[in-house]
Amino acid sequence: MWLFWLYEFLGFVAVISLIVAYCRIRKQRFWSFTWKYLKWILLSIVGVWLVIAILCRHDLYNATHCYFRGVSMHAQTKYSIYLGECQIETPSGSYVPIDRTRALPGSSDHGNNDDVNDFYPTN
């Protein structure tokens, strides 16, 4: 989630930087330009915010889903954008994938091969 807010902050800085650059090129004062076109500046900031939110919608959905899974389990969870998985905090303080700990069907670690039995080897 922190990565989303970093993108939002960088988008805000980019809009302000473009306005400052435009004012320097046109040799206008920044604050007078800002008050004159306040509505358009606010619309551009909201537009950039929406574009970033739309680009990050998949990760935002997964982070929200992971949060509510943690609330329903009364556990501390977080969504890892890098690993693309919901993680649950263990008693030692480390985070492990929630699908692996819950042995949920359809998880990426749940084997589909019937020949291999990891728990009770045949040899």
Side-chain angles (χ1 to χ4, degrees):
M1 198 67 182
W2 64 271
L3 196 57
F4 169 72
W5 291 113
L6 176 68
Y7 291 152
E8 291 292 344
F9 177 73
L10 292 177
F12 177 74
V13 168
V15 169
I16 299 300
S17 298
L18 287 173
I19 292 171
V20 167
Y22 180 79
C23 288
R24 285 190 183 257
I25 291 171
R26 293 289 195 171
K27 297 191 183 350
Q28 293 180 346
R29 300 193 68 200
F30 175 76
W31 292 111
S32 63
F33 178 81
T34 302
W35 285 114
K36 186 176 181 181
Y37 298 106
L38 183 62
K39 178 177 77 170
W40 294 108
I41 291 172
L42 290 176
L43 284 174
S44 65
I45 290 171
V46 169
V48 168
W49 183 82
L50 286 174
V51 167
I52 292 171
I54 289 170
L55 291 175
C56 296
R57 72 184 178 276
H58 181 69
D59 291 326
L60 288 173
Y61 172 79
N62 288 337
T64 305
H65 185 261
C66 182
Y67 169 76
F68 284 112
R69 283 181 77 180
V71 168
S72 68
M73 295 170 50
H74 303 290
Q76 183 69 25
T77 58
K78 72 174 185 175
Y79 178 73
S80 172
I81 292 176
Y82 299 114
L83 300 175
E85 61 190 10
C86 184
Q87 298 176 339
I88 189 168
E89 186 178 20
T90 61
S92 65
S94 62
Y95 284 89
V96 296
I98 195 168
D99 291 338
R100 190 178 308 160
T101 60
R102 304 288 293 178
L104 297 173
S107 67
S108 60
D109 296 324
H110 189 63
N112 292 333
N113 192 356
D114 293 335
D115 299 341
V116 177
N117 190 347
D118 292 336
F119 295 111
Y120 302 106
T122 56
N123 295 3

